[in-house]
Amino acid sequence: MAAGPPPPLEPCPLPTFPEEGFTEKFLRKTRENPLVPLGCLCTVSVLVYGIICFKKGNTRRSQLMMRARVIAQGFTFAALLGGMVATAIKSR
């Protein structure tokens, strides 16, 4: 049997997505996983308060705030991983 060349492949059109600005994307991602922005806000606020305490010379409170910042960062990271797992499970 003499087989000819395979038929040419038809180019399939790429899917189109609506343009999404920064604000729309931020709001959509916040609705999907609200704990991540909350953790970021908590981390920044603890960091700022720790820096203020450091500038005032209150080293004990400053060290406490730096430890609290690490805990807040851990919470944010856990929320990020939890959101990724939830999205992966939901997409199945």
Side-chain angles (χ1 to χ4, degrees):
M1 273 190 204
L9 296 175
E10 295 290 323
C12 58
L14 296 174
T16 58
F17 298 102
E19 286 296 318
E20 187 176 41
F22 175 78
T23 306
E24 293 87 15
K25 185 174 183 178
F26 179 77
L27 291 175
R28 179 176 56 87
K29 294 283 188 178
T30 301
R31 276 187 228 106
E32 289 174 5
N33 195 357
L35 293 179
V36 172
L38 182 67
C40 291
L41 183 65
C42 183
T43 301
V44 169
S45 60
V46 168
L47 176 65
V48 168
Y49 184 63
I51 291 172
I52 290 170
C53 289
F54 180 75
K55 291 280 188 183
K56 288 182 178 180
N58 190 350
T59 56
R60 187 176 186 95
R61 176 73 58 153
S62 174
Q63 284 296 315
L64 182 66
M65 289 299 108
M66 292 303 114
R67 291 180 185 131
R69 177 192 54 87
V70 171
I71 292 170
Q73 281 179 319
F75 170 78
T76 305
F77 187 70
L80 182 66
L81 285 179
M84 288 173 50
V85 168
T87 302
I89 290 173
K90 188 169 47 170
S91 67
R92 286 186 187 180

